[in-house]
Amino acid sequence: MILLKHLGWRVALALSVLSLALYSCSPDISLIRVAPPKQRAVLSVWLWPGSGLETMIKQYAEEQSGVDVDIVISQYDDVLPGLMSSLATRSKAPDLVLLDASQLGEMKRYREQFYNLYDFGDERTRFLEWKWRLAENRDGAFLFALPADIGPVALAYRRDLFEAAGLPAERDAVSEAFPDWDALESAGLQLKEKTGAALFDNMNNVFQSYFNQFDGQYLGSRTGRLSPRVKEAWDRAVRFQQLGLIAGLPSQTTEWADGAVNGRFAAVLAPSWLHGMLKKNAPATRGLWDLAKAPGLPSGWKGSFLAIPKTSGQPREAYALASWLTTPQRQLATFRSNGNFPSTPTLYSTRDFLDVRDPFFNDAPTGQIYAYAALRLNYAYGHSADSSVESLLREGLRRVEKGEARPEQAWRDVEKRIQQIDKGE
């Protein structure tokens, strides 16, 4: 009304007639509509305990005005069953899920259930080439996930237990005294005799670290049968177990945590991401641990990846988060806080990276120690059945560890099951 009074009566009358006409013909045009406020995207992210990504994800949500994040923590062994169930029922599925190399290998059989991340970008120049290749399908046309961390291996050891056994305890002396597996075996026997502690936590960690010194492929490229390196690694783990050098404590269990605190084992063949697990489960041992080079050739686990299932209704927002988490800057931050070793090699020669030290491990120069192994890893593209083979080998070792099967029988059982998989049975 105030506006009409200043326009004059003729203009006001014309506007009134026009308004009535519009109202009678097109009522929607005459109504003033206010758009509802844009809803914030809520991303569901699935992680496992000790991933070290929670803090960075919360930071991202605080910095992005249009994004909220719901973090779901599941036990490692529950991730794949939960994901398969959610994909089948199309409910409670994550927008972004953390998978390790074995889990990703298994999910590659369900390509139609995942977004091709090449539809959102191509950031391969940031990452180690072998790590990027592991995230692709065989012809390189489909990208299942963005590479997160990798897992170069070092020897994490209890200084107090090594000293009690009369073994070298300074990190450089440990690296020099135990350059190979035979030397470490002798040290383990001395440790067992003097302290009663086992050298290592479980057979699978010994097996994996030994096997991963090589090309990381379980099956021969032509035969489809187990590589001779697999049996070599199996025999090493069995020998250590038969000599009493294995505590028999599966990783990521309460028993393992208790063993770490109570000194039931004196060393761990530790991928860098295991730092977070030790810090969370055995905080009272801070400063008792140290790091040295692992025995034998440089070894490493293939690390983890961030994938976007097709059930996500916000794939671009999920990709933006995954891309942000895997930048060199954020990977360096996560390495500092949790030990997740970056998959972005441009960091490895920077002063910020090489100067990283960890008070939990007696101020060991973690950047330098792990970079030594990381720069020497170069895994080939894995066979699609690798994840199933790994699972069978892990279960076979557990049976031996628990006394449920003799090593020879457990090995024959593994070979038989792998042949059945190869035949599609």
Side-chain angles (χ1 to χ4, degrees):
M1 294 297 294
I2 296 175
L3 178 61
L4 290 176
K5 181 170 61 178
H6 289 283
L7 291 175
W9 71 270
R10 289 186 178 85
V11 175
L13 178 61
L15 287 174
S16 298
V17 172
L18 178 59
S19 177
L20 288 171
L22 289 173
Y23 182 83
S24 63
C25 298
S26 304
D28 286 341
I29 298 177
S30 65
L31 296 177
I32 300 175
R33 294 188 177 274
V34 178
K38 186 177 181 180
Q39 291 186 341
R40 292 170 62 88
V42 180
L43 298 176
S44 175
V45 180
W46 284 15
L47 307 174
W48 60 71
S51 70
L53 296 177
E54 297 94 320
T55 300
M56 298 304 296
I57 291 173
K58 290 175 183 177
Q59 179 184 334
Y60 180 82
E62 291 172 358
E63 294 178 1
Q64 303 295 317
S65 59
V67 176
D68 286 327
V69 180
D70 179 22
I71 299 175
V72 178
I73 306 293
S74 300
Q75 292 301 314
Y76 172 84
D77 287 338
D78 295 335
V79 171
L80 279 193
L83 181 59
M84 293 295 293
S85 176
S86 70
L87 292 175
T89 61
R90 318 298 289 182
S91 65
K92 296 183 179 178
D95 294 288
L96 191 65
V97 59
L98 184 69
L99 301 172
D100 76 0
S102 175
Q103 293 169 328
L104 180 64
E106 188 164 342
M107 296 311 296
K108 283 183 176 180
R109 288 182 272 176
Y110 309 100
R111 169 173 165 170
E112 70 282 357
Q113 299 286 355
F114 290 87
Y115 280 99
N116 182 358
L117 300 194
Y118 279 135
D119 292 340
F120 308 114
D122 186 347
E123 304 177 66
R124 74 183 71 198
T125 56
R126 289 209 315 237
F127 301 95
L128 291 161
E129 182 180 1
W130 66 262
K131 178 74 174 180
W132 185 267
R133 288 277 291 135
L134 286 173
E136 292 181 316
N137 68 339
R138 196 172 292 275
D139 65 12
F142 193 98
L143 184 68
F144 284 86
L146 284 184
D149 64 320
I150 64 172
V153 170
L155 180 70
Y157 64 96
R158 285 279 295 264
R159 292 172 60 92
D160 56 338
L161 293 176
F162 271 43
E163 288 172 351
L167 298 170
E170 297 300 322
R171 65 179 69 101
D172 290 341
V174 170
S175 296
E176 292 174 5
F178 314 123
D180 56 44
W181 293 86
D182 290 338
L184 199 58
E185 178 183 305
S186 298
L189 292 172
Q190 182 174 330
L191 178 84
K192 184 74 173 178
E193 179 184 358
K194 297 289 186 180
T195 69
L199 178 61
F200 289 126
D201 49 354
N202 58 68
M203 293 179 71
N204 187 60
N205 279 354
V206 173
F207 169 82
Q208 286 287 352
S209 296
Y210 190 99
F211 174 70
N212 287 341
Q213 296 174 113
F214 309 112
D215 68 1
Q217 298 211 54
Y218 293 103
L219 303 178
S221 58
R222 295 182 181 178
T223 64
R225 295 185 176 273
L226 287 172
S227 160
R229 295 294 193 184
V230 179
K231 187 60 163 62
E232 188 178 329
W234 175 281
D235 288 343
R236 176 64 69 173
V238 167
R239 178 174 174 80
F240 274 34
Q241 192 266 346
Q242 292 176 333
L243 291 172
L245 305 185
I246 303 291
L249 301 173
S251 300
Q252 303 189 47
T253 63
T254 55
E255 293 80 10
W256 186 93
D258 290 341
V261 172
N262 298 321
R264 290 186 57 188
F265 53 90
V268 182
L269 292 161
S272 55
W273 45 258
L274 187 132
H275 290 199
M277 206 163 76
L278 270 171
K279 292 173 183 177
K280 179 178 180 180
N281 293 316
T285 62
R286 173 187 170 99
L288 297 179
W289 295 89
D290 212 323
L291 290 173
K293 292 178 183 177
L297 299 171
S299 177
W301 296 44
K302 297 172 185 176
S304 61
F305 301 80
L306 290 163
I308 305 175
K310 268 289 181 69
T311 47
S312 172
Q314 304 163 113
R316 293 194 179 278
E317 290 84 353
Y319 182 85
L321 171 56
S323 178
W324 187 89
L325 288 170
T326 55
T327 60
Q329 177 185 352
R330 276 84 195 191
Q331 290 205 46
L332 175 59
T334 310
F335 177 59
R336 287 181 181 277
S337 63
N338 200 64
N340 300 23
F341 197 87
S343 57
T344 48
T346 55
L347 281 175
Y348 300 169
S349 60
T350 65
R351 180 53 53 193
D352 285 344
F353 178 80
L354 294 174
D355 284 346
V356 174
R357 291 180 175 268
D358 196 328
F360 190 91
F361 293 91
N362 194 38
D363 283 329
T366 51
Q368 297 176 36
I369 290 171
Y370 280 108
Y372 173 83
L375 289 168
R376 291 162 175 79
L377 299 175
N378 187 24
Y379 294 124
Y381 180 83
H383 292 273
S384 60
D386 276 5
S387 57
S388 300
V389 171
E390 181 178 320
S391 177
L392 289 171
L393 286 163
R394 186 168 59 246
E395 181 57 31
L397 289 167
R398 284 178 180 171
R399 291 177 62 208
V400 174
E401 205 164 50
K402 293 178 180 179
E404 297 174 354
R406 295 179 60 82
E408 300 82 4
Q409 182 60 52
W411 176 257
R412 288 195 293 269
D413 291 344
V414 169
E415 285 191 310
K416 182 179 178 180
R417 286 291 295 117
I418 290 171
Q419 291 171 7
Q420 290 173 339
I421 291 174
D422 194 44
K423 294 177 181 177
E425 298 178 5

